[in-house]
Amino acid sequence: MASLQQTMFSLHSKLQPSSFQIAKSLPIRRTTLPLRIGVVNAAGARMSATSAGSYAMALADVAKRNDTLELTSTDVEKLEKVFSDPQVLIFFANPTVEAEKKRLVINEIVKSSSLQSHTSNFLNILVDANRINIATDIVKEFEMVYNKITDTQLAEVRSVVKLEPPQLVQIAKQVQKLTGAKNVRVKTVLDPSLVAGFTIRYGDSGSMLIDMSVKKQLEDIAAQLELGEIQLAT
């Protein structure tokens, strides 16, 4: 994607899309009922009425109707990796690039990532609506919707080195015990700044933190030195 090197421009939406407007062009095997904005599971959990939230809810609703929620979640994870490339974001956010050229790149992404047809259609809808530039926000919102629908707790594990599967399983079990969630998804991130050890962030918007890093231990020692809490042995 060498051709993706363009100047970044910001795009602003004039109208916020409704879930029905988004979903009516997506293939649905079982029903054609209009989607309901804000309702993401039987308990009536609601997302904020942002554009990214509306798009994410529409995609999740279509996936539920097609019985492809898990596959669609996998698609979104692939898109997260694609749109983590700054050059990809720069290309799609550039209003001087014709929509047709953006669709060609979308087709390339769909083929290389083996995305489902309704995910492909969804991306093209974003291009047509000049909203492809908020794809990363949609990914985040979709993850929240998915977690609510499936009663899944997301745990972000940061470590200096890659943790082994048995270690991640134990972490997932501990997070499940702490939260009572039906499922736990572990997302791993390598973070050299931790020096050694690992951290686990979970809860609503990552509000809870378990810090087992050497960096935290060093910070605690430094804080104790500043407060004069360390007593020398006599």
Side-chain angles (χ1 to χ4, degrees), residues 15-201:
L15 294 174
Q16 178 175 306
S18 70
S19 295
F20 177 71
Q21 289 172 326
I22 298 166
K24 65 181 180 181
S25 298
L26 301 181
I28 301 176
R29 291 200 299 265
R30 294 187 172 184
T31 178
T32 56
L33 291 175
L35 306 182
R36 296 179 180 177
I37 297 178
V39 178
V40 296
N41 63 4
R46 295 180 180 276
M47 299 291 294
S48 61
T50 63
S51 292
S54 295
Y55 280 113
M57 287 187 290
L59 180 60
D61 212 334
V62 170
K64 285 192 295 180
R65 296 185 189 194
N66 286 341
D67 293 326
T68 59
L69 185 60
E70 294 301 324
L71 290 175
T72 302
S73 178
T74 300
D75 282 356
V76 172
E77 289 177 358
K78 293 176 181 177
L79 292 177
E80 181 179 22
K81 293 179 181 179
V82 170
F83 285 95
S84 66
D85 184 343
Q87 295 303 320
V88 174
L89 290 175
I90 289 172
F91 172 79
F92 283 115
N94 191 339
T96 67
V97 177
E98 297 177 358
E100 187 57 35
K101 291 183 179 179
K102 293 181 180 180
R103 291 191 195 95
L104 290 175
V105 175
I106 289 296
N107 290 339
E108 179 184 335
I109 292 171
V110 169
K111 291 178 182 178
S112 62
S113 302
S114 300
L115 303 180
Q116 300 173 90
S117 60
H118 68 259
T119 305
S120 173
N121 288 346
F122 180 76
L123 291 173
N124 280 294
I125 288 173
L126 293 180
V127 169
D128 293 339
N130 286 333
R131 301 307 281 156
I132 190 68
N133 60 312
I134 64 169
T136 53
D137 293 328
I138 294 172
V139 166
K140 294 176 183 178
E141 294 285 356
F142 182 90
E143 188 173 72
M144 293 173 62
V145 174
Y146 172 88
N147 290 345
K148 287 183 180 295
I149 293 173
T150 59
D151 188 15
T152 297
Q153 182 66 231
L154 176 65
E156 182 185 81
V157 179
R158 289 180 173 267
S159 59
V160 177
V161 297
K162 183 178 180 181
L163 299 181
E164 296 299 322
Q167 294 173 304
L168 296 177
V169 169
Q170 289 303 314
I171 289 173
K173 288 181 178 179
Q174 184 62 28
V175 171
Q176 187 176 43
K177 181 178 179 181
L178 291 170
T179 63
K182 182 179 179 180
N183 306 293
V184 175
R185 297 176 66 196
V186 176
K187 179 181 290 186
T188 58
V189 179
L190 294 181
D191 187 351
S193 72
L194 298 179
V195 184
F198 60 89
T199 65
I200 308 169
R201 188 171 290 279

